[in-house]
Amino acid sequence: MSFLSAIFGTKSPQNDCITVLSPNDFQSQVEGKNVQLIDVRTPNEFKSGHIKGAKNIDFFSGRFNVEFNKLNKDKPVYVYCRSGSRSRQTANKLANMDFKEIYDLKGGILNY
């Protein structure tokens, strides 16, 4: 079993709070709703187009943790990036920061 775990990984308890949503599910949960919606792309990417109501917190910014610590950790947070890589890494960071409910857009805004 450890060989399979090494290949496919295991879900640690902290990652039980992360849910990867399809673009349709993500859209239905965020559009027109007052949610913590975070775009983790660079400011230039954000300016080129983003989901309405999203706040930009650049994944590469030195203020990443400071900005996320301003959010309510007990309320759901929705994250997305361009293709899903940065948002997946963000979701894992947020789980380590004790956020309770994290939703990640599968495939990023490219699939939205």
Side-chain angles (χ1 to χ4, degrees):
M1 186 69 175
S2 63
F3 173 72
L4 293 175
S5 295
I7 293 174
F8 298 110
T10 57
K11 197 169 192 179
S12 66
Q14 72 190 28
N15 290 340
D16 287 342
C17 59
I18 300 170
T19 304
V20 178
L21 295 176
S22 71
N24 286 338
D25 289 340
F26 195 90
Q27 183 177 16
S28 70
Q29 290 190 32
V30 302
E31 282 197 356
K33 299 189 173 99
N34 184 20
V35 297
Q36 298 184 115
L37 176 61
I38 310 298
D39 182 325
V40 296
R41 298 176 299 156
T42 65
N44 284 338
E45 289 174 300
F46 184 78
K47 287 176 191 166
S48 71
H50 57 272
I51 299 171
K52 186 176 181 181
K55 178 179 179 175
N56 184 218
I57 300 177
D58 184 354
F59 179 79
F60 299 111
S61 166
R63 295 194 46 81
F64 180 90
N65 286 353
V66 171
E67 292 302 318
F68 271 103
N69 276 322
K70 292 178 182 177
L71 300 178
N72 187 333
K73 294 180 180 186
D74 294 321
K75 290 187 177 179
V77 63
Y78 294 82
V79 294
Y80 70 93
C81 63
R82 188 181 70 81
S83 64
S85 178
R86 285 175 279 180
S87 62
R88 181 179 60 250
Q89 292 175 66
T90 296
N92 288 324
K93 282 185 176 187
L94 296 180
N96 287 327
M97 293 169 69
D98 296 325
F99 279 81
K100 307 289 184 248
E101 206 173 332
I102 306 155
Y103 296 97
D104 180 10
L105 174 59
K106 183 177 184 177
I109 199 167
L110 291 176
N111 289 332
Y112 192 70

